[in-house]
Amino acid sequence: MARKQAADLMLRLDNQICFAIYSTAHAFNRVYKPLLDRLGLTYPQYLVMLVLWERDDVPVKDIGERLFLDSGTLTPLLKRLEAADLIKRTRSTEDERQVLIALTSQGQALREKARSVPQSILAASACSIGELSAMKNEIVALRDRLNAVLGE
Amino acid sequence: MARKQAADLMLRLDNQICFAIYSTAHAFNRVYKPLLDRLGLTYPQYLVMLVLWERDDVPVKDIGERLFLDSGTLTPLLKRLEAADLIKRTRSTEDERQVLIALTSQGQALREKARSVPQSILAASACSIGELSAMKNEIVALRDRLNAVLGE
DNA sequence: GATTATTATATTGCATGCAATTCAATTGCG
DNA sequence: CGCAATTGAATTGCATGCAATATAATAATC
């Protein structure tokens, strides 16, 4: 009977860390929205740009591994970024299966406008960098354990 | 110059807690997938069922406030749950603007099958209940601060 | 009590995510 | 070398999320 009650408790929405994560992801998205609107980006597009601002001329696969996204998500997203003149998609000559993603000059330039975004997010989170960093590390560790289970 | 470098560091993908949250949400979703497939539910549908298992016969609005979702998301989702015979949607007689959501007997019964889900998730997270609960509280506090900014 | 404002839900359009499939290119292996 | 297996993208279909709008019902205000 005690075991049954424990199972009931665990089914409560507010006791589930997955819902905490889920709802916080959406809250972040809503905070980002007005900031990214000014850049003409959606949040997933912003993530792709973050990857490219770190390193350019990478195959779609690499971006996908970095962001945990597959081609079904990335292909149309990248086409929209290309239509916005932020990136260029080129079939690799080395390996014609790969499509290399490079920033255009506009894509490079957008980085300057994006520099203030993290500050705004930090302010909205009303949290010190140290606290956020500690939380981030815990969450990433959790994510990696979940992904490890999936790889089995 | 130091300030510029700090802004650059903050633009790094791996330094952003939002990406930690975002990618962990997707990792959770992938871990849940096979478990929820057995129940015939998607993850957002599972969240709605969690709400309803706690309290029945509630208007769409209440579910939305609980899950931070609007009618644009909930209406079609609820129609799919109704098509699956898990819930019933009824226009309230008290206030005809409202649609009340009630569980069917099958919706009630599904709770028994769902009881084992949280245990499986706990196992996949490879974490103690205490640690998870502490993380959850921190994340919820962050979410609430973000939502507070949005309300301004 | 009539008019206006607000509220609850529904609808439309767009951008993810992801499973499943397809297709072309490359790798492996005998 | 020749062929099967694998790989990287693209495509299709379905289910979110959310902004913007529509609509009907209730509340508020004069």
Side-chain angles (χ1 to χ4, degrees):
Chain A
M1 203 47 51
R3 195 167 299 280
K4 193 165 182 178
Q5 281 176 14
D8 280 351
L9 272 182
M10 290 178 74
L11 267 184
R12 305 249 300 230
L13 180 69
D14 291 336
N15 291 341
Q16 304 220 6
I17 192 172
C18 59
F19 175 63
I21 297 274
Y22 168 91
S23 53
T24 305
H26 291 318
F28 263 119
N29 195 47
R30 287 189 283 267
V31 172
Y32 268 104
K33 183 83 170 51
L35 301 171
L36 295 182
D37 277 350
R38 289 205 283 265
L39 306 183
L41 296 174
T42 64
Y43 181 69
Q45 289 168 3
Y46 173 68
L47 291 180
V48 168
M49 294 303 285
L50 287 180
V51 170
L52 294 174
W53 287 329
E54 286 181 28
R55 190 146 68 88
D56 217 350
D57 256 313
V58 289
V60 174
K61 180 105 196 302
D62 285 19
I63 300 175
E65 280 173 1
R66 199 75 194 286
L67 299 180
F68 305 96
L69 296 174
D70 67 5
S71 70
T73 301
L74 286 175
T75 297
L77 187 158
L78 291 169
K79 283 185 177 176
R80 281 186 279 272
L81 288 180
E82 189 177 39
D85 261 325
L86 295 172
I87 65 165
K88 194 140 116 176
R89 296 157 66 243
T90 322
R91 209 36 88 168
S92 164
T93 50
E94 302 266 317
D95 182 342
E96 298 215 349
R97 289 171 304 181
Q98 296 186 342
V99 168
L100 298 177
I101 307 299
L103 291 166
T104 62
S105 54
Q106 288 183 54
Q108 284 286 359
L110 195 64
R111 184 182 186 174
E112 307 311 314
K113 283 174 74 177
R115 241 195 207 103
S116 63
V117 171
Q119 284 291 347
S120 304
I121 297 297
L122 183 61
S125 69
C127 211
S128 77
I129 292 191
E131 286 173 292
L132 281 182
S133 181
M135 275 181 70
K136 187 210 65 190
N137 290 337
E138 284 182 75
I139 296 167
V140 165
L142 172 59
R143 177 194 74 199
D144 291 346
R145 287 196 298 275
L146 291 172
N147 280 334
V149 170
L150 289 169
E152 284 167 6
Chain B
M1 203 47 51
R3 196 168 298 280
K4 192 164 183 180
Q5 282 176 14
D8 280 351
L9 272 181
M10 290 178 75
L11 267 184
R12 304 251 298 232
L13 181 70
D14 291 336
N15 290 342
Q16 305 219 5
I17 192 172
C18 60
F19 175 63
I21 297 273
Y22 168 90
S23 53
T24 306
H26 291 318
F28 263 119
N29 195 46
R30 287 190 282 268
V31 172
Y32 267 104
K33 184 84 170 50
L35 301 170
L36 296 183
D37 277 350
R38 289 205 284 265
L39 306 183
L41 296 174
T42 64
Y43 181 68
Q45 290 169 2
Y46 173 68
L47 291 181
V48 169
M49 295 303 287
L50 287 180
V51 170
L52 295 174
W53 286 328
E54 287 181 27
R55 191 145 68 88
D56 217 348
D57 256 312
V58 289
V60 174
K61 180 108 197 302
D62 286 18
I63 299 175
E65 280 173 1
R66 199 77 193 285
L67 300 179
F68 306 95
L69 295 174
D70 67 4
S71 70
T73 301
L74 286 175
T75 297
L77 187 158
L78 291 168
K79 284 185 175 175
R80 280 186 281 270
L81 288 180
E82 189 176 40
D85 261 324
L86 295 173
I87 66 165
K88 194 139 116 177
R89 296 158 67 244
T90 323
R91 208 36 89 168
S92 164
T93 51
E94 303 265 318
D95 182 342
E96 298 214 350
R97 290 172 303 181
Q98 295 186 341
V99 169
L100 298 177
I101 308 299
L103 290 166
T104 62
S105 54
Q106 287 183 56
Q108 284 285 1
L110 195 63
R111 185 182 186 175
E112 307 311 312
K113 284 175 73 178
R115 240 194 209 106
S116 63
V117 170
Q119 284 291 348
S120 304
I121 296 298
L122 182 62
S125 69
C127 212
S128 78
I129 291 190
E131 287 173 292
L132 280 183
S133 181
M135 274 181 72
K136 187 210 64 190
N137 291 336
E138 286 182 74
I139 295 167
V140 165
L142 172 60
R143 177 195 72 197
D144 292 346
R145 288 196 299 273
L146 291 173
N147 280 335
V149 171
L150 288 170
E152 283 167 7

